[in-house]
Amino acid sequence: MTDSEAPPAKAPEGVSGAPALPQPVLEIASGYAFTGPALDLGALLWDGRCLPDVQIRIPLPMLNRHGLVAGATGTGKTKTLQLIAEQLSAQGVPVFLADVKGDVSGISAPGQENDKVRTRAGEVRQEWTPAGFPCEFYALGGMGHGIPVRATVTSFGPVLLSKVLQLNQTQEQSLGLIFHYADQKGLELVDLKDLRAVVTFLTSDEGKSELKGIGGLSTATAGVILRSLTAFEAQGMSPFFGEPEFDTSELSRVAGDGRGTVSVLELPAVQDKPQLFSTFLMWLLADLFHDLPEVGDVDKPKLVFFFDEAHLLFNDASKAFLDAITQTVRLIRSKGVGVFFVTQTPKDVPGDVLAQLGNRVQHALRAFTPDDQKALKATVKTFPNSPYDLEEVLTALGTGEAVVTVLSEKGAPTPVAATRLRAPESLMGPVDPATLDRAVEQSPLYGRYAEAVDRESAYEKLTAREAQAAASSAPSAPSEPTSSRGRGRKGDGQDSSVVQQVVGSGVFKSLARSLGTQVGREITRSIFGTARRRR
């Protein structure tokens, strides 16, 4: 890998002793000699040696050009996220991290010096100082340690909900019609029972005509959607939908001392529900895209969003879902948001998305099986030309080492650099649950989101109107003709659920047609089908 016979070259500024280094090393060093603010990743590895004079860095303005952190289990990806998040926070950039395994909360506490930390710091010439960083901890639906994060069904939208419910393309399109109808009629879907009510109505005798002009909703498809909702609720998923809905602008907060807030979404309580949490991460990103203003190229990102376990997002995704991801990633850069996908191999990320990830930190890969060897060769092909034998290097990297290439200050790819990464300065492990709970309860956001609110929405309004009409109207009374029609519609004598009674009556039809459509006009949907009324 070395070129010991290469003639000495003039050293780039700041690389002491570099004339004694081979030409490829000097070229790599020159490629990372940035003049502006940057994040320090570590020191160059070459021919089995760590060269602390050659520092590998990422220019701060290039962090909104997105990135990939990849590598096999146990190779140090989580510590790399922690290292990058610390430095972003220190430079005033807010960070979002998804904590799937429950070991990222330590970023809020100072690290503990030990022999391993001292050795690593000495190898890469790092002035290691223990430090904790300002954090907010969140939990989906309040399941786990954290401030509850909820979304209304209306804002979550049909594309993401179809992914969660594992609907096929036809069912997804039908769900889109249901949302379109609710939007147009001003029927906000706050929780799952609101959606169930609208689905049932649109397949009733009264409601079938409502969608007739735009394709209609078949009874079979509606049945699949309703059954999927039932199974979803049976798994305890209902708490994730409702109010108060999380305001994603909270993720862009800066602490009083000027450091960026690190928002940690605690996921251990739902790690067995990958479809749910990966899709909720996409909702957060899509909602940010929907709400943030255009800022163009900025000196530093407004937010850097780390999308952990990214392969779960793309598994079994529909074409509409993949197209929406691609477009969101492509366009959110101009809103000052950088997105890093975290997964095992680059092949986990679709090519159209991977092509937009300008910064790469690739930890070690394994090559124990033919599939592993195929993935290794595919990964090597995604890197620029390199003086390294990358197939050999990627299988020989130790924990806390990675192959790096980023975008320079001019937007060009830097040379590929095998790197020994720095040690995080915060605690490399979880804080204890009692400390975590205290941090959550002391947060100024806790009172805003802690308690779920079940305000009056479509289902409650319909139930109340039906009860009032049944109690106060005589059959001959002409004052409430829509209620009279509703009472006479069913003649089979069979019991039905409250929802079926409500949506099967003329009251629902009357209400749906008489509700002002001003609310519906205020609902605008993004490229991902998500919606948010302006705050």
Coordinates of all heavy atoms in Angstrom, one line a residue, residues 182-187 511-521:
A182 N -61.2 13.4 3.9 CA -61.2 14.0 5.2 C -60.6 15.4 5.2 O -61.2 16.4 5.8 CB -60.4 13.2 6.2
D183 N -59.6 15.6 4.4 CA -59.0 17.0 4.2 C -60.0 18.0 3.6 O -60.2 19.1 4.1 CB -57.8 16.9 3.3 CG -56.6 16.2 3.9 OD1 -56.6 16.0 5.1 OD2 -55.6 16.0 3.2
Q184 N -60.7 17.5 2.6 CA -61.7 18.4 1.9 C -62.9 18.7 2.8 O -63.4 19.8 2.7 CB -62.1 17.7 0.6 CG -61.1 17.6 -0.5 CD -60.5 18.9 -0.9 OE1 -61.2 19.8 -1.3 NE2 -59.2 19.1 -0.8
K185 N -63.3 17.8 3.6 CA -64.4 18.1 4.5 C -64.1 18.7 5.8 O -64.9 18.9 6.6 CB -65.2 16.7 4.7 CG -65.8 16.1 3.5 CD -66.8 17.1 2.8 CE -67.4 16.5 1.6 NZ -68.4 17.4 0.9
G186 N -62.8 19.0 6.0 CA -62.4 19.6 7.3 C -62.5 18.6 8.5 O -62.7 19.0 9.6
L187 N -62.5 17.3 8.2 CA -62.5 16.3 9.3 C -61.1 15.9 9.7 O -60.5 15.0 9.1 CB -63.3 15.1 8.8 CG -64.8 15.3 8.4 CD1 -65.4 14.1 7.7 CD2 -65.6 15.6 9.7
L511 N -73.2 16.1 8.6 CA -72.1 16.8 9.2 C -71.0 16.9 8.3 O -70.4 18.0 8.1 CB -71.7 16.0 10.5 CG -70.5 16.6 11.2 CD1 -70.8 18.0 11.8 CD2 -70.0 15.7 12.3
A512 N -70.6 15.9 7.6 CA -69.5 15.9 6.6 C -69.7 17.0 5.5 O -68.8 17.6 5.1 CB -69.3 14.5 6.0
R513 N -71.0 17.1 5.1 CA -71.3 18.1 4.0 C -71.5 19.5 4.5 O -71.3 20.4 3.8 CB -72.5 17.6 3.3 CG -72.2 16.4 2.4 CD -73.5 15.9 1.7 NE -73.1 14.8 0.8 CZ -74.0 14.1 0.1 NH1 -75.3 14.2 0.4 NH2 -73.6 13.1 -0.7
S514 N -71.9 19.6 5.8 CA -72.2 20.9 6.3 C -71.0 21.6 7.0 O -71.0 22.8 7.2 CB -73.3 20.9 7.3 OG -73.0 20.1 8.4
L515 N -70.0 20.8 7.4 CA -68.8 21.3 8.1 C -68.1 22.3 7.2 O -68.0 22.1 6.0 CB -67.8 20.2 8.5 CG -68.1 19.5 9.8 CD1 -67.1 18.3 9.9 CD2 -68.0 20.4 11.0
G516 N -67.7 23.5 7.7 CA -67.0 24.4 6.9 C -65.7 23.8 6.3 O -65.0 23.1 7.0
T517 N -65.4 24.1 5.1 CA -64.2 23.5 4.5 C -63.0 24.4 4.7 O -62.0 24.1 4.1 CB -64.5 23.3 3.0 OG1 -64.8 24.5 2.4 CG2 -65.5 22.3 2.7
Q518 N -63.1 25.5 5.5 CA -62.0 26.3 5.7 C -60.9 25.6 6.4 O -59.7 25.7 6.0 CB -62.4 27.5 6.6 CG -61.2 28.5 6.9 CD -61.6 29.6 7.7 OE1 -62.8 29.7 8.1 NE2 -60.7 30.5 8.0
V519 N -61.2 24.7 7.3 CA -60.2 23.9 8.0 C -59.5 23.0 7.0 O -58.3 22.9 6.9 CB -60.8 23.1 9.1 CG1 -59.7 22.1 9.7 CG2 -61.4 24.0 10.2
G520 N -60.3 22.4 6.1 CA -59.7 21.5 5.1 C -58.8 22.2 4.2 O -57.7 21.7 3.8
R521 N -59.1 23.5 3.8 CA -58.3 24.3 2.9 C -56.9 24.6 3.6 O -56.0 24.8 2.9 CB -59.0 25.5 2.4 CG -60.1 25.2 1.4 CD -60.5 26.5 0.7 NE -61.0 27.5 1.6 CZ -62.3 27.6 1.9 NH1 -63.2 26.8 1.3 NH2 -62.8 28.5 2.8

